[in-house]
Amino acid sequence: MNRPDAGKAPIEEVNAPIRESAEDALSARSADIPEKTVGNITHADPVMVCRGVDVFYGDKQAIFGVDLDVGRHQVISMIGPSGCGKSTFLRCLNRMNDTIDIARVNGNIELDGKNIYASDVDVVPLRARVGMVFQKPNPFPKSIYENVAYGPRIHGLAKDKVELEEIVHTSLEKAGLLGEVKDRMDQPGTGLSGGQQQRLCIARAIAVSPEIILMDEPCSALDPIATAKIEDLIDELKQNYTIAIVTHSMQQAARVSQRTAYFHLGYLVEVDETDKIFTNPSHKLTEDYITGRFG
Amino acid sequence: MSTIVLVLAVLALGAFYLGRNRATALASGTTGGLRGLHSLPGHYGLYTALLCFLPAILLLFVWTLVEPSVITSKVISDLPAETQELGKDRLGLVVNDIRNAVDGNVAPGSLSPEVEAAAAQYQSLRNTSARLRTVFAVALALGGLAFGWRMINPDMRARNRVEGMVTAFLIACSMVAILTTLGIVLSVLFESIRFFQRVPATEFLFGTQWSPQTAIRADQVGSSGAFGAIPLFVGTMLIALIAMCVAAPIGLMSAIYLSEYAPRKVRAFAKPLLEILAGIPTVVYGFFAALTVAPAIRGWGESVGLSVASESALAAGLVMGIMIIPFVSSLSDDVINAVPQAMRDGAYGLGATKSETVKNVIIPAALPGIVGGLLLAVSRAIGETMIVVMAAGLAANLTWNPLEAVTTVTVQIVTLLTGDQEFDSAKTLAAFALGLVLFVVTLVLNVIALHVVRKYREQYE
Ligand SMILES: Nc1ncnc2c1ncn2[C@@H]1O[C@H](COP(=O)(O)OP(=O)(O)OP(=O)(O)O)[C@@H](O)[C@H]1O
Ligand SMILES: [Mg+2]
């Protein structure tokens, strides 16, 4: 791994005045990126272990040698300035990057000890184990029931109608949506409010009983009340699921996650317990970001 | 004619500079300088130029439209009385002779002196008219110029007036297209009404016998003819149905392949290739159908012991289907591409395979748009003429058997109107009635299709 000028950060820089614009700061501070991720990349009980992950879009590298463990049954949040590669990294975890022609992933990402990028791995069961919720709610143009039933159907999770119905109900229940939709299950999912749609998408993801749920800015299109509901939901879901969430809201990261990873220009700068990151970050870049100096 | 337009253009150019200079001159007299003007000097120039150019050019246009009929009626009224009493048709021939004589399209000496005289008169009237036209147009242009020039003062809202004139001009241009369409529709409508005065609409719409062999000329003996158009409607539908059976699945599948499966390189080269199919003239498809496909089907049918007409609905339908494949595929491709990426991501994120995503998410999401596209394709198939003229035959058989020869509405319109005929025989008028039906059907199809497609677009905005 080569990082030009890495580690040679001049000491004066640390006390340098706040930059005029975030962009200025980004380009100028690329030299500050540490040689090795600061904090603690490992976890005692990891579900996913990522080592040396590089991602390229065509010739352009978007992720540089990221090492990170995702701990079981906890929430890890990924923060960082726009364009730093959070979504790109998240999409590596269930190989969603495969759907982009020009994207190429190097390195090792293990799910329970098995490299998901090995040539014999089938993405279909992988994505059933690692589900995803997107930034903009994207219910299918089908009924509420069909939206949730879709995953179990294609994976053959239900033996019969009754069982399928049960899966749909428990998923909606867990997503905290059942009460609001139980007497209009046959109406189109697109007719729900934004927050309801996002919970429907969460229910849809839960319905295939994934082990891990990836969420890419799940609340950015929602109002504060809907956001609070989803945050409560995430808090509950971590009993049974592992959640990796990308967010632009520092408060959200602090509220819902146990660990936080700070990305910068494609590098993973610092990862640690959320409390530690938000109270006492070790790296200057992290500190600048969470104190709102840029990003 | 072109010289005078050039003269007008030069005048307009002069008017522009005059107007602009006057505005600038006036402005320097006011306290605010150029800011004292309501609009920019250029707007005043444009205003003067438009006032100079537009009325004059409009006059030229109207004059050119009206001139021939005015001159003709004048010439006719000066013809000897016995010629004038010849009756409408014969008089028309005489007028034709006169016009030909004026244009020098006849051998000298082949005309009666009477026509020669009239032609000379026609020619001189035309010369006078041209001179008058020039004088009036230039006078109008100068008048407009003078008026505009005088109107200029710092408070005049030249910019708004220019905008207004430009808007009016654009409206006028678009009216040309609209009015022409309206004119065609009305003429078809009126001729159809004349047809329905002779043949009852119920007989036309529900009759099952089609043999429009009325006497072509009044003095000819012939059968009275039958105008039941059901066989034509059935033939048209049969062929359109066969065509859609070919085009809908193939077009849709290739659209799915191109938009969802094909690597970018394949797409970059296959999509234009498919669209080239749309550029082949229909007459080429027509002889392909008549000379290659129809005999092939006939041969194949005979080899399995079926009797196939040498001109079969199947041949025409198949080839027409191939013709509209690119139409279907490019419309479906647009619609499929309009399905948001988020929808695909949602399905892939759940672990759906490509074909599951296509089948369960993309097609349902795109379905209204696809249906709209198919309806447009149907209306094309119904209105298509060349292939069926060449490959479907003329026999108005009332049958759903695709191996027999059938005929279609468009084919019958063509056969009714080609060759010698009287313009107001029932046979000729029947073509208008058929045209009306065709027009109404395709119009309804298009309106529904466009409505569906638009609705679909809104869904994702
Ligand atoms: N499909 C793509 N093709 C090419 N480059 C891409 C693509 N997607 C992302 N990138 C590039 O990769 C880099 C990281 O993008 P990514 O979307 O992961 O950022 P992000 O951290 O999620 O930003 P945001 O907070 O704005 O969502 C960016 O420079 C972006 O331009
Ligand atoms: Mg992102």
Side-chain angles (χ1 to χ4, degrees), chain A residues 137-157:
Chain A
N138 57 349
F140 301 134
K142 297 169 184 277
S143 71
I144 294 172
Y145 182 89
E146 284 303 317
N147 260 285
V148 184
Y150 183 68
R153 277 227 176 90
I154 59 174
H155 293 293
L157 298 184

Side-chain angles (χ1 to χ4, degrees), chain A residues 91 94 96 99 101-102 124 127-128 130-132 134 138-142 150-151 154-155 204-205 208, chain B residues 262-264 341-353 356-357 359-361 364-365 459-460:
Chain A
R91 290 165 63 93
N94 69 345
M96 275 302 277
T99 62
D101 280 349
I102 56 171
V124 169
R127 289 186 192 145
V130 188
M132 189 149 194
F134 299 84
N138 57 349
F140 301 134
K142 297 169 184 277
Y150 183 68
I154 59 174
H155 293 293
R204 185 174 73 185
V208 294
Chain B
R264 273 200 289 179
Q341 182 60 32
M343 218 63 103
R344 296 182 180 87
D345 283 346
Y348 291 137
L350 283 173
T353 62
E356 281 165 347
T357 307
K359 192 174 71 192
N360 301 329
V361 177
Q459 196 182 324
Y460 291 117

Side-chain angles (χ1 to χ4, degrees), chain B residues 45-375:
Chain B
L46 213 53
Y47 173 72
T48 324
L50 285 175
L51 271 187
C52 163
F53 190 71
L54 285 184
I57 203 83
L58 204 66
L59 174 84
L60 275 188
F61 183 69
V62 173
W63 193 295
T64 318
L65 278 188
V66 174
E67 183 194 79
S69 58
V70 171
I71 294 184
T72 310
S73 65
K74 173 80 179 118
V75 168
I76 289 176
S77 69
D78 288 354
L79 284 174
E82 71 269 26
T83 320
Q84 282 191 42
E85 277 149 22
L86 276 178
K88 221 172 88 189
D89 298 346
R90 306 278 300 276
L91 196 58
L93 289 178
V94 173
V95 171
N96 251 344
D97 278 349
I98 296 173
R99 288 229 177 99
N100 285 336
V102 170
D103 295 339
N105 286 342
V106 281
S110 69
L111 294 168
S112 64
E114 174 186 286
V115 171
E116 295 259 14
Q121 189 201 4
Y122 193 103
Q123 184 65 50
S124 85
L125 279 175
R126 211 152 75 159
N127 292 342
T128 321
S129 156
R131 242 171 278 135
L132 282 178
R133 189 180 62 190
T134 311
V135 170
F136 278 124
V138 172
L140 198 58
L142 289 174
L145 195 164
F147 177 74
W149 194 76
R150 280 193 47 121
M151 287 293 288
I152 292 176
N153 68 60
D155 290 333
M156 196 193 68
R157 306 161 138 248
R159 174 163 35 80
N160 310 41
R161 292 195 188 187
V162 167
E163 287 295 327
M165 281 191 259
V166 169
T167 314
F169 181 70
L170 294 180
I171 290 177
C173 287
S174 51
M175 285 313 271
V176 171
I178 296 175
L179 289 180
T180 315
T181 317
L182 202 66
I184 293 174
V185 171
L186 286 182
S187 100
V188 170
L189 189 66
F190 287 131
E191 299 298 332
S192 305
I193 289 173
R194 282 175 66 196
F195 172 75
F196 289 127
Q197 282 162 358
R198 293 169 201 215
V199 179
T202 46
E203 187 195 324
F204 175 73
L205 289 176
F206 303 112
T208 55
Q209 276 296 320
W210 178 265
S211 59
Q213 299 311 326
T214 350
I216 291 171
R217 290 189 307 277
D219 53 349
Q220 192 183 329
V221 276
S223 61
S224 58
F227 292 96
I230 288 286
L232 311 192
F233 299 154
V234 170
T236 308
M237 281 192 269
L238 177 62
I239 289 182
L241 190 73
I242 296 171
M244 291 313 291
C245 287
V246 174
I250 297 183
L252 192 55
M253 298 300 155
S254 51
I256 290 172
Y257 172 72
L258 284 180
S259 57
E260 297 296 315
Y261 288 85
R264 273 200 289 179
K265 274 186 195 147
V266 175
R267 183 182 160 85
F269 135 104
K271 201 167 148 64
L273 205 66
L274 201 62
E275 270 152 18
I276 286 175
L277 270 186
I280 300 178
T282 54
V283 66
V284 175
Y285 281 108
F287 63 69
F288 174 64
L291 302 181
T292 314
V293 178
I297 290 178
R298 189 175 153 80
W300 162 85
E302 271 166 3
S303 69
V304 294
L306 287 169
S307 83
V308 182
S310 61
E311 293 175 316
S312 62
L314 190 58
L318 285 181
V319 174
M320 194 192 284
I322 291 174
M323 186 193 83
I324 53 184
I325 284 174
F327 196 68
V328 173
S329 80
S330 105
L331 279 173
S332 313
D333 188 56
D334 287 350
V335 173
I336 289 174
N337 278 325
V339 173
Q341 182 60 32
M343 218 63 103
R344 296 182 180 87
D345 283 346
Y348 291 137
L350 283 173
T353 62
K354 216 161 206 173
S355 65
E356 281 165 347
T357 307
V358 168
K359 192 174 71 192
N360 301 329
V361 177
I362 295 177
I363 299 288
L367 196 61
I370 292 173
V371 169
L374 290 180
L375 286 182

Side-chain angles (χ1 to χ4, degrees), chain A residues 254-273:
Chain A
R255 278 195 297 265
V256 302
S257 69
Q258 284 73 55
R259 288 171 81 220
T260 297
Y262 174 67
F263 285 79
H264 189 97
L265 290 177
Y267 295 96
L268 176 56
V269 171
E270 179 166 357
V271 53
D272 221 320
E273 301 301 315

